[in-house]
């Protein structure tokens, strides 16, 4: 997917956190021609971004005042342990800015946003893209091209916040999937968070037999490399996202363990793993053949959030935003 010729919104974007995801958002928005600037706690990332020609700083208060004064969109892309402090700073310095995020768990973030008193300006976001690498040096303007990007449509989500959060994802080259926070967390527990845990287990099992450890690692090829790729992610990042979604992840792990136990029992008792291979093959084919259907979102009227959730649940995606009916009522600035 090529970069959009013109940005979906002229509202500037303030990116908080310039690691892999936040830094790639900054790069992608710049590629799209969308005004954007960033902040990072460590000077190294901010300096590297500045040296690459981006507007970046380590002064959080000044950055947030800039976002507040212009009614900009803030994208929070910091690790989960840093969320409360950053959200408190947003509440203090930028209560009139619009707010979204790029964190992989939505219910936990929504609760933290509510505790900071920012729900009225917030729509959650989660770009379904990444690599096993981290830091500004891993950032890539094309990271989100063609990726799914969740924008939450909970019952208290403001329509303006949803539109602006979606515009950020679209300008980064992604496709928008509307979802509720709880259903998002249940889904990613099964297709992301449990995958990280399973990858760690496979990596550990490969070297668990002392007699064959070195030979196993010598022989390991594409199947082992593909399955364990995400085990190369920094443990602190994996811990943070899994622990923030513990309830849904426990359910997903229970189902995964049950499938493995059933396969072990079938192999021990009948000498075959046919059931799990047939079921797994069919499930993989359904994933490969899954349809995503573009639809035009309606962002007003009674129950618009529920309608978006239902569309997303049925495979609907947003590839373009409808024109705003009355430009005079746009809330690009705080008010």
């Amino acid at each position: 997917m090529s970069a959009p010729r013109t940005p979906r919104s002229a509202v500037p974007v303030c990116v908080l956190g310039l690691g892999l995801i936040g830094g790639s958002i900054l790069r992608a928005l710049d590629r799209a021609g969308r005004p954007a600037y960033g902040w990072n706690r460590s000077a190294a990332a901010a300096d590297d971004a500045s040296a690459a020609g981006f507007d970046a700083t380590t002064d959080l208060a000044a950055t947030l005042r800039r976002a507040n004064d212009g009614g900009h969109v803030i994208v929070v892309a910091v690790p989960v342990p840093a969320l409360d402090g950053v959200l408190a700073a947003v509440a203090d310095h930028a209560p009139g800015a619009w707010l979204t995020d790029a964190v992989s768990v939505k219910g936990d973030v929504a609760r933290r946003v509510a505790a900071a008193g920012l729900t009225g300006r917030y729509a959650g976001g989660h770009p379904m893209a990444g690599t096993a690498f981290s830091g500004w040096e891993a950032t890539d303007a094309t990271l989100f091209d063609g990726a799914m990007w969740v924008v939450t449509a909970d019952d208290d989500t403001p329509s303006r916040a949803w539109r602006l959060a979606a515009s950020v994802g679209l300008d980064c080259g992604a496709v928008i999937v509307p979802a509720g926070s709880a259903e998002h967390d249940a889904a990613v527990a099964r297709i992301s968070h449990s995958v990280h845990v399973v990858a760690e287990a496979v990596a550990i099992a490969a070297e668990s037999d002392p007699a064959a450890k070195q030979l196993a690692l010598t022989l390991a090829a594409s199947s082992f490399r593909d399955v364990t790729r995400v085990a190369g992610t920094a443990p602190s990042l994996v811990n943070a996202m899994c622990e923030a979604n513990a309830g849904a992840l426990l359910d997903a792990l229970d189902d995964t363990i049950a499938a493995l136990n059933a396969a072990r029992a079938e192999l021990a008792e009948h000498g075959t793993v046919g059931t799990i291979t047939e079921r797994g093959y069919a499930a993989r084919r359904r994933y490969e053949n899954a349809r995503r259907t573009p639809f035009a979102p309606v962002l007003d009227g009674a129950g618009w959030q529920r309608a978006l959730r239902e569309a997303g649940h049925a495979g609907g995606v947003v590839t373009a935003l409808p024109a705003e009916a009355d430009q005079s009522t746009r809330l690009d600035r705080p008010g």
Side-chain angles (χ1 to χ4, degrees), residues 84-179:
D84 288 339
V86 168
L87 290 174
V90 173
D92 285 343
H93 300 291
W98 298 97
L99 183 66
T100 187
D101 71 286
V103 181
S104 66
V105 180
K106 300 275 57 80
D108 180 65
V109 176
R111 288 186 288 273
R112 295 169 188 261
V113 167
L118 297 167
T119 299
R121 313 287 290 185
Y122 172 74
H126 180 201
M128 302 298 298
T131 72
F133 303 103
S134 61
W136 172 262
E137 62 274 11
T139 60
D140 182 356
T142 69
L143 181 65
F144 311 107
D145 284 358
M148 300 299 108
W149 186 306
V150 174
V151 178
T152 56
D154 294 321
D155 288 342
D156 54 3
T157 301
S159 61
R160 183 64 178 158
W162 196 94
R163 172 187 285 274
L164 287 171
S167 75
V168 172
L170 290 171
D171 281 344
C172 285
V175 174
I176 304 303
V177 181

Side-chain angles (χ1 to χ4, degrees), residues 149-233:
W149 186 306
V150 174
V151 178
T152 56
D154 294 321
D155 288 342
D156 54 3
T157 301
S159 61
R160 183 64 178 158
W162 196 94
R163 172 187 285 274
L164 287 171
S167 75
V168 172
L170 290 171
D171 281 344
C172 285
V175 174
I176 304 303
V177 181
S181 292
E183 63 183 354
H184 163 276
D185 290 352
V188 297
R190 293 176 182 274
I191 54 88
S192 176
H193 302 163
S194 64
V195 175
H196 277 272
V197 177
V198 170
E200 315 288 357
V202 172
I204 292 168
E207 57 180 24
S208 293
D209 181 353
K213 173 181 176 179
Q214 189 55 53
L215 179 60
L217 297 179
T218 299
L219 295 176
S222 59
S223 59
F224 179 79
R225 182 173 61 249
D226 292 346
V227 169
T228 62
R229 179 184 64 82
V230 295
T233 306

Side-chain angles (χ1 to χ4, degrees), residues 11-38:
V11 181
V13 178
C14 168
V15 183
L16 303 181
L18 299 179
L20 170 66
I21 299 301
S24 294
I25 290 173
L26 186 64
R27 286 187 180 275
L29 291 173
D30 178 75
R31 181 189 64 167
R34 180 88 175 259
Y37 54 98

Side-chain angles (χ1 to χ4, degrees), residues 292-313:
R292 300 180 175 99
T293 306
F295 75 100
V298 176
L299 304 179
D300 57 17
W304 68 267
Q305 298 99 328
R306 182 181 67 254
L308 282 189
R309 294 195 299 268
E310 291 173 351
H313 193 271

